[in-house]
Amino acid sequence: MSTLEPASVSPLPEGITDPNYKPLPGRLGNLTPAQQHALDTLKRQLVDEGHFVAERMDDATLLRFLRARKFDVAKTKIMLLSAEQWRKDLGVEEIVKNFVFTEKKEVDKYYPQYYHKMDKDGRPVYIQRLGKIDINALNAITTQDRQLRRFVLEYEKFLTERLPACSKAVGHPVETSCTIMDLAGVSVTSFYRVKDYVFQAAGIGQDRYPECMGKFYIINAPWAFSTVWSIVKPWLDEVTVAKIDIVSSGMVKEKLLSQIPAENLPAEFGGACRCVGGCSLSDAGPWNPQTGEW
């Protein structure tokens, strides 16, 4: 005798055109009664206490924070209000409105980090090439503070531009990214020189923009990576660590192509994409209609 899955107490989001879409647990359209109660309670407390910000506290966002704290309303509220205070302290709204990273093209030569098209599940692909980092050259071009502001700006655009465009392109909600971190050329020495920035960026992603990581591939790890990983791993929560796939050098092309269409994966990683002017500066994806049909 088969066991039927319990029906969700929350309806599916509007605008879904993919007939095969089935939301993962803890998402809109797949909430247990306890999870729905936690969502309703959190929202009611935020409203009653004057903390609710409608434009960035929709149900999907509140659920990201709830999942990050295993639907513990008290812990979730602490996390969310801490993120709100951080936004005020850093001036995130000002960054979104006025910050321009004019040195992007030059920085790309010494630290490529960019979004590029989608994976097979509709996630925007984010690529970082840590092995290309040249600290002296970067320091001559920009500052760590400006790099972090750029990082925050890209996260904001990820939420407000890239995810909605990807969702529309595939016909169902897309809430996470697919990240490739290329460590080719990274040494323990070079990592120590950038670890402060890496830790700050990781902390911002984990604490201020939770549950945005879908797939995370670490590729071309050098022999000394175990030392680097032992430093980074304690800074990450167990949910984040569980999503990280450290790919052996002989399996990089096969692993990446199993998740990313060849036409969307840059050629340097085994794909077939060769954007005019370079993939790292193309900003190709459904969020940028000028870069192609999606």
Side-chain angles (χ1 to χ4, degrees), residues 38-81:
L39 174 61
D40 294 341
T41 301
L42 175 63
K43 185 187 294 187
R44 184 175 64 253
Q45 290 183 5
L46 291 171
V47 171
D48 290 347
E49 296 168 12
H51 299 306
F52 187 75
V53 183
E55 58 266 29
R56 61 172 178 270
M57 292 185 186
D58 60 11
D59 286 355
T61 299
L62 294 180
L63 284 169
R64 285 198 294 106
F65 280 85
L66 281 164
R67 291 196 301 273
R69 290 297 177 263
K70 298 180 172 59
F71 284 85
D72 183 311
V73 173
K75 291 180 179 179
T76 301
K77 188 165 69 170
I78 290 171
M79 184 186 196
L80 183 61
L81 295 183

Side-chain angles (χ1 to χ4, degrees), residues 190-211:
S190 63
F191 174 77
Y192 267 101
R193 298 188 68 185
V194 298
K195 67 179 177 64
D196 290 344
Y197 171 78
V198 171
F199 287 160
Q200 280 187 279
I204 288 172
Q206 182 173 272
D207 299 333
R208 314 310 182 188
Y209 302 96
E211 291 291 304

Side-chain angles (χ1 to χ4, degrees), residues 99-115:
F99 182 75
V100 180
F101 197 63
T102 53
E103 61 268 44
K104 178 180 178 179
K105 189 173 182 179
E106 284 300 303
V107 167
D108 181 70
K109 298 176 183 177
Y110 308 109
Y111 186 9
Q113 45 185 319
Y114 57 99
Y115 286 93

Side-chain angles (χ1 to χ4, degrees), residues 112-124:
Q113 45 185 319
Y114 57 99
Y115 286 93
H116 186 267
K117 302 186 177 181
M118 298 185 295
D119 72 1
K120 293 180 180 180
D121 296 314
R123 300 183 186 93

Side-chain angles (χ1 to χ4, degrees), residues 37-265:
H37 178 70
L39 174 61
D40 294 341
T41 301
L42 175 63
K43 185 187 294 187
R44 184 175 64 253
Q45 290 183 5
L46 291 171
V47 171
D48 290 347
E49 296 168 12
H51 299 306
F52 187 75
V53 183
E55 58 266 29
R56 61 172 178 270
M57 292 185 186
D58 60 11
D59 286 355
T61 299
L62 294 180
L63 284 169
R64 285 198 294 106
F65 280 85
L66 281 164
R67 291 196 301 273
R69 290 297 177 263
K70 298 180 172 59
F71 284 85
D72 183 311
V73 173
K75 291 180 179 179
T76 301
K77 188 165 69 170
I78 290 171
M79 184 186 196
L80 183 61
L81 295 183
S82 176
E84 284 296 297
Q85 186 60 52
W86 167 82
R87 294 180 68 90
K88 293 177 183 177
D89 293 343
L90 187 65
V92 173
E93 304 311 312
E94 179 68 19
I95 290 173
V96 171
K97 291 178 182 177
N98 297 313
F99 182 75
V100 180
F101 197 63
T102 53
E103 61 268 44
K104 178 180 178 179
K105 189 173 182 179
E106 284 300 303
V107 167
D108 181 70
K109 298 176 183 177
Y110 308 109
Y111 186 9
Q113 45 185 319
Y114 57 99
Y115 286 93
H116 186 267
K117 302 186 177 181
M118 298 185 295
D119 72 1
K120 293 180 180 180
D121 296 314
R123 300 183 186 93
V125 177
Y126 182 63
I127 299 170
Q128 288 194 71
R129 305 191 68 181
L130 286 177
K132 293 281 187 179
I133 287 180
D134 183 326
I135 289 297
N136 292 332
L138 283 174
N139 288 341
I141 298 168
T142 189
T143 64
Q144 184 169 305
D145 179 71
R146 284 185 61 79
Q147 289 187 78
L148 283 170
R149 289 174 183 273
R150 178 214 185 175
F151 182 76
V152 169
L153 177 60
E154 290 299 328
Y155 247 123
E156 291 291 312
K157 291 171 66 177
F158 166 78
L159 291 173
T160 62
E161 298 177 17
R162 293 189 170 93
L163 289 185
C166 290
S167 299
K168 183 177 180 180
V170 299
H172 63 74
V174 177
E175 299 184 81
T176 59
S177 64
C178 174
T179 295
I180 300 170
M181 181 174 284
D182 183 11
L183 298 184
V186 171
S187 66
V188 173
T189 301
S190 63
F191 174 77
Y192 267 101
R193 298 188 68 185
V194 298
K195 67 179 177 64
D196 290 344
Y197 171 78
V198 171
F199 287 160
Q200 280 187 279
I204 288 172
Q206 182 173 272
D207 299 333
R208 314 310 182 188
Y209 302 96
E211 291 291 304
C212 287
M213 181 192 297
K215 297 281 187 179
F216 195 112
Y217 299 103
I218 294 177
I219 64 172
N220 299 319
W223 65 269
F225 177 69
S226 59
T227 301
V228 173
W229 182 236
S230 68
I231 298 170
V232 175
K233 190 175 179 180
W235 284 67
L236 306 175
D237 63 40
E238 59 185 20
V239 175
T240 299
V241 171
K243 295 177 182 177
I244 296 175
D245 190 347
I246 301 172
V247 185
S248 60
S249 57
M251 294 293 292
V252 170
K253 181 177 179 179
E254 179 181 345
K255 177 68 75 170
L256 295 183
L257 287 176
S258 71
Q259 184 63 36
I260 303 169
E263 63 271 21
N264 290 358
L265 183 65

